[in-house]
Amino acid sequence: MRVPRVIVDGVGDRFSCAPDSTDCSSAAAIVAVAAEQPFCPGTRVDAVVIPDAGHAIDLYRSAQTAYCHVIEWLDRYVRTG
């Protein structure tokens, strides 16, 4: 499968960004880890780190920031018109 993907994570995510897991300190760190994964080799990976959010981004006041990033990403890579 060769489709672009975007990873949106909150910097305070204690599940995905635990000390023994993914480094979520920056989008570049998340992309570096994703690029090492065996699934979807060679696909474009973008990432966004939401500073005032944790695991359930929808439940934080900064959710709108995450939504805006996703919409911008979709406009860039998944155009329908």
Side-chain angles (χ1 to χ4, degrees):
M1 182 167 68
R2 300 225 175 212
V3 295
R5 57 190 166 133
V6 63
I7 300 169
V8 180
D9 214 335
V11 74
D13 185 340
R14 291 183 284 171
F15 296 107
S16 298
C17 305
D20 61 343
S21 187
T22 302
D23 174 7
C24 296
S25 62
S26 70
I30 293 173
V31 169
V33 170
E36 296 173 1
Q37 302 302 316
F39 52 88
C40 303
T43 60
R44 178 180 182 85
V45 179
D46 294 300
V48 177
V49 176
I50 307 301
D52 298 322
H55 186 72
I57 292 173
D58 294 331
L59 302 178
Y60 288 85
R61 291 181 184 195
S62 57
Q64 188 66 31
T65 302
Y67 302 153
C68 289
H69 283 288
V70 170
I71 290 168
E72 288 173 11
W73 186 89
L74 287 168
D75 285 343
R76 196 171 29 238
Y77 296 107
V78 190
R79 294 191 178 146
T80 58

